[in-house]
Amino acid sequence: MRSFEDATGRQWDVAVSDASYGAQCLIFAARKGNELRSHELDLYSRFDAEQMLLRLDDAALRALLAGAREWQPG
């Protein structure tokens, strides 16, 4: 899991999670509030997805968040 700040100063946590058909996704959770967003990755290995998350800088995380869609668990 990683934490970062968006362009407006809002704090987010992001973690890898399972998506459909074995794909991996990033789940973004706003620290204040209950907003959740997801971004599906073209990766099928959890290890690869977690390594990618560790390599991303804050600017890349902000870009992925901007393109993420609303996520409803379950």
Side-chain angles (χ1 to χ4, degrees):
M1 185 170 81
R2 295 262 312 272
S3 298
F4 70 101
E5 194 173 278
D6 70 14
T8 66
R10 191 172 183 195
Q11 292 290 320
W12 291 81
D13 293 322
V14 58
V16 174
S17 183
D18 295 325
S20 301
Y21 302 103
Q24 301 296 304
C25 69
L26 296 177
I27 302 296
F28 296 88
R31 284 254 178 108
K32 293 186 179 178
N34 54 3
E35 186 175 358
L36 296 172
R37 295 177 176 245
S38 69
H39 177 83
E40 193 163 326
L41 302 171
D42 289 329
L43 298 171
Y44 292 88
S45 161
R46 183 161 194 122
F47 176 80
D48 290 345
E50 289 175 350
Q51 291 301 303
M52 184 205 74
L53 177 57
L54 290 174
R55 288 190 303 268
L56 293 172
D57 62 14
D58 287 0
L61 288 171
R62 285 190 288 273
L64 291 172
L65 174 62
R69 59 184 168 86
E70 184 179 342
W71 185 69
Q72 295 294 325

Coordinates of all heavy atoms in Angstrom, one line a residue:
M1 N 0.9 -1.2 0.0 CA 0.0 0.0 0.0 C 0.9 1.2 0.0 O 2.0 1.2 0.6 CB -0.9 0.0 1.2 CG -1.9 1.1 1.2 SD -3.2 1.0 2.4 CE -2.3 1.6 3.9
R2 N 0.4 2.3 -0.6 CA 1.1 3.5 -0.7 C 0.1 4.7 -0.4 O -1.1 4.5 -0.5 CB 1.6 3.8 -2.1 CG 2.6 2.9 -2.7 CD 4.0 3.4 -2.6 NE 4.2 4.8 -3.0 CZ 4.5 5.2 -4.3 NH1 4.6 4.3 -5.2 NH2 4.6 6.4 -4.5
S3 N 0.7 5.8 0.1 CA -0.1 7.0 0.3 C 0.4 8.1 -0.5 O 1.6 8.1 -0.8 CB -0.1 7.4 1.8 OG -0.6 6.3 2.6
F4 N -0.4 9.0 -1.0 CA 0.0 10.1 -1.8 C -1.0 11.2 -1.7 O -2.1 11.0 -1.1 CB 0.3 9.7 -3.2 CG -1.0 9.4 -4.0 CD1 -1.5 10.3 -4.9 CD2 -1.6 8.2 -3.9 CE1 -2.7 10.1 -5.6 CE2 -2.7 7.9 -4.6 CZ -3.3 8.8 -5.5
E5 N -0.7 12.4 -2.2 CA -1.6 13.5 -2.2 C -2.0 13.9 -3.6 O -1.1 13.9 -4.5 CB -0.8 14.7 -1.5 CG -1.6 15.9 -1.1 CD -0.7 16.9 -0.4 OE1 -0.5 16.7 0.8 OE2 -0.3 17.8 -1.0
D6 N -3.3 14.1 -3.8 CA -3.7 14.5 -5.2 C -3.4 16.0 -5.4 O -2.8 16.7 -4.6 CB -5.1 14.2 -5.5 CG -6.1 15.0 -4.7 OD1 -5.8 16.0 -4.1 OD2 -7.3 14.6 -4.7
A7 N -3.7 16.5 -6.6 CA -3.4 17.9 -7.0 C -4.1 18.9 -6.1 O -3.6 20.1 -6.0 CB -3.8 18.1 -8.5
T8 N -5.1 18.5 -5.4 CA -5.8 19.5 -4.5 C -5.4 19.4 -3.1 O -5.9 20.1 -2.2 CB -7.4 19.3 -4.6 OG1 -7.7 18.0 -4.1 CG2 -7.9 19.4 -6.0
G9 N -4.4 18.5 -2.8 CA -4.0 18.3 -1.4 C -4.7 17.2 -0.6 O -4.4 17.0 0.5
R10 N -5.6 16.5 -1.3 CA -6.4 15.5 -0.6 C -5.5 14.2 -0.5 O -4.8 13.8 -1.4 CB -7.6 15.2 -1.4 CG -8.6 14.3 -0.7 CD -9.9 14.3 -1.6 NE -10.9 13.5 -0.9 CZ -12.0 13.0 -1.5 NH1 -12.2 13.3 -2.7 NH2 -12.8 12.3 -0.8
Q11 N -5.5 13.6 0.7 CA -4.7 12.4 0.9 C -5.5 11.1 0.4 O -6.7 10.9 0.7 CB -4.4 12.2 2.4 CG -3.5 13.3 2.9 CD -2.1 13.1 2.4 OE1 -1.6 12.0 2.3 NE2 -1.4 14.2 2.0
W12 N -4.7 10.2 -0.2 CA -5.3 8.9 -0.7 C -4.3 7.8 -0.4 O -3.1 8.0 -0.3 CB -5.3 9.0 -2.3 CG -6.4 9.9 -2.8 CD1 -6.2 11.3 -3.0 CD2 -7.7 9.6 -3.2 NE1 -7.4 11.8 -3.5 CE2 -8.3 10.8 -3.7 CE3 -8.4 8.4 -3.3 CZ2 -9.6 10.8 -4.2 CZ3 -9.7 8.4 -3.8 CH2 -10.3 9.6 -4.2
D13 N -4.9 6.6 -0.2 CA -4.2 5.4 0.0 C -4.5 4.6 -1.3 O -5.6 4.6 -1.8 CB -4.6 4.6 1.2 CG -4.3 5.3 2.5 OD1 -3.2 5.9 2.6 OD2 -5.1 5.2 3.4
V14 N -3.5 3.8 -1.8 CA -3.7 3.0 -2.9 C -3.1 1.6 -2.7 O -2.0 1.5 -2.1 CB -3.1 3.7 -4.2 CG1 -1.7 4.0 -4.1 CG2 -3.4 2.8 -5.4
A15 N -3.8 0.6 -3.1 CA -3.3 -0.8 -2.9 C -3.7 -1.6 -4.1 O -4.6 -1.3 -4.8 CB -3.9 -1.4 -1.6
V16 N -3.0 -2.8 -4.3 CA -3.3 -3.7 -5.3 C -4.4 -4.6 -4.8 O -4.5 -5.0 -3.7 CB -2.0 -4.6 -5.6 CG1 -2.4 -5.7 -6.6 CG2 -0.9 -3.7 -6.2
S17 N -5.3 -5.0 -5.8 CA -6.4 -5.9 -5.5 C -6.7 -6.7 -6.7 O -6.3 -6.4 -7.8 CB -7.7 -5.1 -5.1 OG -8.7 -5.9 -4.7
D18 N -7.4 -7.8 -6.5 CA -7.8 -8.7 -7.6 C -9.0 -8.1 -8.4 O -9.9 -7.5 -7.8 CB -8.3 -10.1 -7.1 CG -7.1 -10.8 -6.4 OD1 -6.0 -10.7 -6.9 OD2 -7.4 -11.5 -5.4
A19 N -8.9 -8.2 -9.7 CA -10.0 -7.8 -10.5 C -10.6 -9.0 -11.3 O -10.3 -10.1 -10.9 CB -9.5 -6.7 -11.5
S20 N -11.3 -8.7 -12.3 CA -12.0 -9.8 -13.1 C -11.0 -10.7 -13.8 O -10.0 -10.2 -14.3 CB -13.0 -9.2 -14.1 OG -13.9 -8.4 -13.4
Y21 N -11.3 -11.9 -13.9 CA -10.5 -12.9 -14.7 C -9.1 -12.9 -14.4 O -8.2 -13.1 -15.3 CB -10.8 -12.6 -16.2 CG -12.2 -12.7 -16.6 CD1 -12.9 -11.5 -16.8 CD2 -12.9 -13.9 -16.7 CE1 -14.3 -11.6 -17.1 CE2 -14.2 -13.9 -17.0 CZ -14.9 -12.8 -17.2 OH -16.3 -12.8 -17.6
G22 N -8.7 -12.8 -13.1 CA -7.3 -12.9 -12.7 C -6.5 -11.6 -12.9 O -5.3 -11.6 -12.5
A23 N -7.0 -10.6 -13.5 CA -6.3 -9.3 -13.6 C -6.1 -8.7 -12.3 O -6.8 -9.0 -11.3 CB -7.0 -8.4 -14.6
Q24 N -5.3 -7.7 -12.2 CA -5.0 -7.0 -11.0 C -5.5 -5.5 -11.2 O -5.6 -5.0 -12.3 CB -3.5 -7.0 -10.6 CG -3.0 -8.4 -10.4 CD -3.6 -9.1 -9.2 OE1 -3.6 -8.6 -8.1 NE2 -4.1 -10.2 -9.4
C25 N -5.8 -4.9 -10.1 CA -6.2 -3.5 -10.2 C -5.6 -2.7 -9.0 O -5.2 -3.3 -8.0 CB -7.7 -3.3 -10.3 SG -8.6 -3.7 -8.8
L26 N -5.7 -1.4 -9.1 CA -5.3 -0.5 -8.0 C -6.6 0.0 -7.5 O -7.5 0.5 -8.2 CB -4.4 0.7 -8.5 CG -3.1 0.3 -9.1 CD1 -2.4 1.5 -9.6 CD2 -2.2 -0.5 -8.0
I27 N -6.7 0.0 -6.2 CA -7.9 0.6 -5.4 C -7.4 1.8 -4.7 O -6.4 1.8 -3.9 CB -8.5 -0.4 -4.4 CG1 -8.9 -1.7 -5.1 CG2 -9.6 0.2 -3.7 CD1 -10.0 -1.5 -6.1
F28 N -8.0 2.9 -5.0 CA -7.7 4.2 -4.4 C -8.8 4.5 -3.4 O -10.0 4.5 -3.7 CB -7.7 5.3 -5.5 CG -6.6 5.2 -6.5 CD1 -6.9 4.5 -7.7 CD2 -5.4 5.8 -6.3 CE1 -5.9 4.3 -8.6 CE2 -4.4 5.7 -7.3 CZ -4.7 4.9 -8.5
A29 N -8.4 4.9 -2.2 CA -9.3 5.2 -1.1 C -8.9 6.6 -0.5 O -7.8 6.8 -0.1 CB -9.2 4.1 0.0
A30 N -9.9 7.5 -0.5 CA -9.7 8.8 0.0 C -9.6 8.7 1.6 O -10.4 7.9 2.2 CB -10.8 9.7 -0.3
R31 N -8.6 9.4 2.1 CA -8.4 9.3 3.6 C -9.6 9.8 4.4 O -10.0 9.3 5.4 CB -7.2 10.0 4.0 CG -5.9 9.3 3.7 CD -5.3 8.7 4.9 NE -4.1 8.0 4.6 CZ -2.9 8.4 4.9 NH1 -2.7 9.5 5.5 NH2 -1.9 7.6 4.6
K32 N -10.1 10.9 3.9 CA -11.3 11.6 4.6 C -12.5 11.4 3.6 O -12.5 11.9 2.5 CB -11.0 13.0 4.9 CG -10.0 13.2 5.9 CD -9.8 14.6 6.3 CE -8.7 14.7 7.4 NZ -8.5 16.1 7.8
G33 N -13.5 10.7 4.1 CA -14.6 10.4 3.3 C -14.6 8.9 2.9 O -13.8 8.1 3.4
N34 N -15.5 8.5 2.1 CA -15.7 7.1 1.7 C -15.6 6.9 0.2 O -16.1 6.0 -0.3 CB -17.0 6.6 2.3 CG -18.2 7.3 1.8 OD1 -18.1 8.3 1.1 ND2 -19.3 7.0 2.3
E35 N -14.8 7.8 -0.5 CA -14.7 7.6 -1.9 C -13.7 6.5 -2.3 O -12.6 6.5 -1.7 CB -14.2 9.0 -2.5 CG -14.2 9.0 -4.0 CD -13.9 10.3 -4.6 OE1 -13.7 11.3 -3.8 OE2 -13.7 10.4 -5.8
L36 N -14.1 5.6 -3.1 CA -13.2 4.6 -3.6 C -13.2 4.6 -5.1 O -14.2 4.8 -5.8 CB -13.7 3.2 -3.2 CG -13.8 2.9 -1.7 CD1 -14.5 1.6 -1.4 CD2 -12.4 2.9 -1.1
R37 N -12.0 4.4 -5.7 CA -11.9 4.4 -7.2 C -11.0 3.2 -7.5 O -10.2 2.8 -6.7 CB -11.3 5.7 -7.7 CG -12.2 6.9 -7.5 CD -11.5 8.1 -7.9 NE -12.4 9.2 -7.8 CZ -12.9 9.9 -8.8 NH1 -12.5 9.6 -10.0 NH2 -13.7 10.9 -8.6
S38 N -11.1 2.7 -8.8 CA -10.3 1.6 -9.2 C -9.7 1.9 -10.6 O -10.3 2.6 -11.4 CB -11.0 0.3 -9.2 OG -12.0 0.3 -10.2
H39 N -8.6 1.3 -10.8 CA -7.9 1.4 -12.1 C -7.4 0.0 -12.4 O -6.5 -0.6 -11.7 CB -6.7 2.4 -12.1 CG -6.0 2.4 -13.4 ND1 -6.4 3.1 -14.5 CD2 -4.9 1.8 -13.8 CE1 -5.6 3.0 -15.5 NE2 -4.6 2.1 -15.1
E40 N -8.0 -0.7 -13.5 CA -7.5 -2.0 -13.8 C -6.2 -2.0 -14.5 O -5.9 -1.1 -15.4 CB -8.6 -2.7 -14.7 CG -8.3 -4.2 -14.8 CD -9.5 -5.0 -15.3 OE1 -10.7 -4.6 -15.0 OE2 -9.3 -6.0 -16.0
L41 N -5.4 -2.9 -14.2 CA -4.0 -3.0 -14.8 C -4.0 -4.1 -15.8 O -4.7 -5.1 -15.8 CB -3.0 -3.4 -13.7 CG -2.9 -2.4 -12.5 CD1 -2.1 -2.9 -11.4 CD2 -2.4 -1.0 -13.0
D42 N -3.0 -4.0 -16.7 CA -2.8 -5.1 -17.7 C -1.8 -6.1 -17.1 O -0.9 -6.5 -17.8 CB -2.3 -4.5 -19.0 CG -3.4 -3.8 -19.8 OD1 -4.6 -4.1 -19.6 OD2 -3.0 -2.8 -20.5
L43 N -2.0 -6.4 -15.9 CA -1.1 -7.4 -15.2 C -1.9 -8.5 -14.6 O -3.0 -8.2 -14.0 CB -0.2 -6.7 -14.1 CG 0.7 -5.6 -14.6 CD1 1.3 -4.8 -13.4 CD2 1.8 -6.2 -15.4
Y44 N -1.4 -9.7 -14.6 CA -2.1 -10.8 -14.0 C -1.4 -11.4 -12.8 O -1.9 -12.4 -12.2 CB -2.4 -11.9 -15.1 CG -3.4 -11.3 -16.1 CD1 -3.0 -10.6 -17.2 CD2 -4.8 -11.5 -15.8 CE1 -3.9 -10.0 -18.0 CE2 -5.7 -10.9 -16.7 CZ -5.2 -10.2 -17.8 OH -6.2 -9.6 -18.7
S45 N -0.2 -10.9 -12.5 CA 0.6 -11.4 -11.4 C 0.5 -10.3 -10.2 O 0.8 -9.1 -10.5 CB 2.0 -11.5 -11.8 OG 2.9 -11.6 -10.7
R46 N 0.0 -10.7 -9.1 CA 0.0 -9.8 -7.9 C 1.4 -9.3 -7.6 O 1.5 -8.1 -7.3 CB -0.6 -10.5 -6.7 CG -0.8 -9.5 -5.6 CD -1.8 -10.0 -4.6 NE -2.1 -9.0 -3.7 CZ -3.4 -8.5 -3.5 NH1 -4.3 -9.0 -4.2 NH2 -3.6 -7.5 -2.7
F47 N 2.4 -10.1 -7.7 CA 3.7 -9.7 -7.4 C 4.1 -8.5 -8.4 O 4.7 -7.5 -7.9 CB 4.7 -10.8 -7.5 CG 6.1 -10.4 -7.3 CD1 6.7 -10.2 -6.0 CD2 7.0 -10.2 -8.4 CE1 8.0 -9.8 -5.9 CE2 8.3 -9.8 -8.2 CZ 8.8 -9.6 -7.0
D48 N 3.9 -8.7 -9.7 CA 4.2 -7.7 -10.7 C 3.5 -6.4 -10.4 O 4.0 -5.3 -10.5 CB 3.9 -8.2 -12.1 CG 4.9 -9.3 -12.5 OD1 5.9 -9.5 -11.9 OD2 4.5 -10.0 -13.5
A49 N 2.2 -6.5 -10.0 CA 1.4 -5.3 -9.7 C 1.9 -4.6 -8.5 O 2.0 -3.4 -8.5 CB -0.1 -5.7 -9.5
E50 N 2.3 -5.3 -7.5 CA 2.8 -4.7 -6.3 C 4.2 -4.0 -6.6 O 4.5 -3.0 -6.1 CB 2.9 -5.7 -5.2 CG 1.6 -6.1 -4.6 CD 1.6 -7.2 -3.6 OE1 2.6 -7.8 -3.3 OE2 0.5 -7.4 -3.0
Q51 N 5.0 -4.7 -7.4 CA 6.3 -4.1 -7.8 C 6.1 -2.8 -8.6 O 6.8 -1.8 -8.4 CB 7.1 -5.1 -8.6 CG 7.6 -6.3 -7.7 CD 8.5 -5.8 -6.5 OE1 9.5 -5.1 -6.7 NE2 8.1 -6.2 -5.4
M52 N 5.1 -2.8 -9.5 CA 4.8 -1.6 -10.3 C 4.4 -0.5 -9.4 O 4.8 0.6 -9.5 CB 3.7 -1.9 -11.3 CG 3.4 -0.8 -12.2 SD 1.7 -0.8 -12.9 CE 0.8 -0.3 -11.4
L53 N 3.5 -0.8 -8.4 CA 3.0 0.2 -7.4 C 4.2 0.8 -6.7 O 4.2 2.1 -6.5 CB 2.0 -0.4 -6.5 CG 1.5 0.5 -5.4 CD1 0.8 1.8 -6.0 CD2 0.5 -0.2 -4.5
L54 N 5.2 0.0 -6.3 CA 6.3 0.6 -5.6 C 7.2 1.5 -6.4 O 7.8 2.4 -5.9 CB 7.2 -0.6 -5.1 CG 6.6 -1.4 -3.9 CD1 7.5 -2.6 -3.6 CD2 6.4 -0.6 -2.7
R55 N 7.2 1.3 -7.7 CA 8.0 2.1 -8.6 C 7.3 3.4 -9.1 O 8.0 4.3 -9.5 CB 8.4 1.3 -9.9 CG 9.4 0.2 -9.6 CD 9.9 -0.5 -10.9 NE 8.8 -1.0 -11.8 CZ 8.4 -2.2 -11.7 NH1 8.9 -3.1 -10.9 NH2 7.4 -2.6 -12.5
L56 N 6.0 3.5 -9.0 CA 5.3 4.7 -9.4 C 5.6 5.9 -8.5 O 5.7 5.7 -7.3 CB 3.8 4.4 -9.4 CG 3.3 3.4 -10.4 CD1 1.8 3.2 -10.2 CD2 3.5 3.9 -11.8
D57 N 5.8 7.0 -9.1 CA 6.0 8.2 -8.3 C 4.6 8.9 -8.1 O 3.6 8.4 -8.7 CB 7.0 9.2 -9.0 CG 6.6 9.7 -10.3 OD1 5.4 9.5 -10.7 OD2 7.4 10.3 -11.0
D58 N 4.6 9.9 -7.3 CA 3.3 10.5 -7.0 C 2.6 11.1 -8.2 O 1.4 11.1 -8.3 CB 3.5 11.6 -5.9 CG 3.8 11.0 -4.5 OD1 3.8 9.8 -4.4 OD2 3.9 11.8 -3.6
A59 N 3.4 11.6 -9.1 CA 2.7 12.2 -10.4 C 2.0 11.1 -11.1 O 0.9 11.3 -11.6 CB 3.8 12.9 -11.2
A60 N 2.7 9.9 -11.2 CA 2.0 8.8 -11.9 C 0.8 8.3 -11.2 O -0.2 8.0 -11.8 CB 3.0 7.7 -12.1
L61 N 0.8 8.3 -9.9 CA -0.3 7.9 -9.1 C -1.5 8.9 -9.3 O -2.6 8.5 -9.4 CB 0.0 7.8 -7.6 CG 0.9 6.6 -7.2 CD1 1.3 6.7 -5.8 CD2 0.1 5.3 -7.5
R62 N -1.2 10.2 -9.3 CA -2.2 11.2 -9.6 C -2.8 11.0 -10.9 O -4.0 11.1 -11.1 CB -1.6 12.6 -9.4 CG -1.4 13.0 -8.0 CD -1.1 14.5 -7.8 NE 0.3 14.8 -8.3 CZ 1.4 14.7 -7.6 NH1 1.3 14.3 -6.3 NH2 2.6 15.0 -8.1
A63 N -2.0 10.7 -11.9 CA -2.6 10.5 -13.3 C -3.5 9.2 -13.3 O -4.5 9.3 -14.0 CB -1.4 10.3 -14.3
L64 N -3.1 8.2 -12.7 CA -3.9 7.0 -12.6 C -5.2 7.2 -11.9 O -6.3 6.8 -12.3 CB -3.2 5.8 -12.0 CG -2.0 5.2 -12.8 CD1 -1.2 4.2 -12.0 CD2 -2.5 4.6 -14.1
L65 N -5.1 8.0 -10.8 CA -6.3 8.4 -10.0 C -7.3 9.2 -10.9 O -8.5 9.0 -10.9 CB -6.0 9.2 -8.8 CG -7.1 9.7 -8.0 CD1 -8.0 8.6 -7.4 CD2 -6.6 10.6 -6.8
A66 N -6.7 10.1 -11.7 CA -7.6 10.9 -12.5 C -8.4 10.1 -13.5 O -9.5 10.4 -13.9 CB -6.7 12.0 -13.3
G67 N -7.8 9.0 -14.0 CA -8.5 8.1 -14.9 C -9.2 7.0 -14.3 O -9.8 6.1 -15.0
A68 N -9.2 6.9 -13.0 CA -9.9 5.7 -12.3 C -11.4 5.9 -12.2 O -11.9 7.1 -12.3 CB -9.3 5.6 -10.9
R69 N -12.1 4.8 -12.2 CA -13.5 4.9 -12.1 C -14.0 4.6 -10.7 O -13.3 4.0 -9.9 CB -14.2 3.9 -13.1 CG -13.8 2.5 -12.9 CD -14.4 1.6 -14.0 NE -13.8 0.3 -14.0 CZ -14.2 -0.7 -13.2 NH1 -15.3 -0.5 -12.4 NH2 -13.6 -1.9 -13.3
E70 N -15.2 5.0 -10.4 CA -15.8 4.7 -9.1 C -15.8 3.2 -8.9 O -16.1 2.4 -9.8 CB -17.2 5.3 -9.0 CG -17.8 5.1 -7.6 CD -19.2 5.7 -7.6 OE1 -19.6 6.5 -8.4 OE2 -20.0 5.3 -6.6
W71 N -15.5 2.8 -7.6 CA -15.5 1.4 -7.3 C -16.4 1.0 -6.2 O -16.5 1.7 -5.2 CB -14.0 1.0 -6.9 CG -13.9 -0.5 -6.6 CD1 -13.9 -1.5 -7.6 CD2 -13.6 -1.1 -5.4 NE1 -13.7 -2.7 -7.0 CE2 -13.5 -2.5 -5.6 CE3 -13.5 -0.7 -4.1 CZ2 -13.3 -3.4 -4.6 CZ3 -13.3 -1.6 -3.1 CH2 -13.2 -3.0 -3.3
Q72 N -17.2 0.0 -6.4 CA -18.2 -0.5 -5.4 C -17.7 -1.9 -5.0 O -17.7 -2.8 -5.8 CB -19.6 -0.5 -6.0 CG -20.2 0.8 -6.4 CD -20.4 1.7 -5.2 OE1 -20.8 1.2 -4.1 NE2 -20.2 3.0 -5.4
P73 N -17.3 -2.1 -3.8 CA -16.9 -3.4 -3.4 C -18.0 -4.4 -3.5 O -19.2 -4.1 -3.3 CB -16.4 -3.2 -1.9 CG -16.8 -1.9 -1.5 CD -17.2 -1.1 -2.7
G74 N -17.6 -5.7 -3.7 CA -18.5 -6.8 -3.7 C -19.1 -6.9 -5.1 O -19.7 -7.5 -5.7

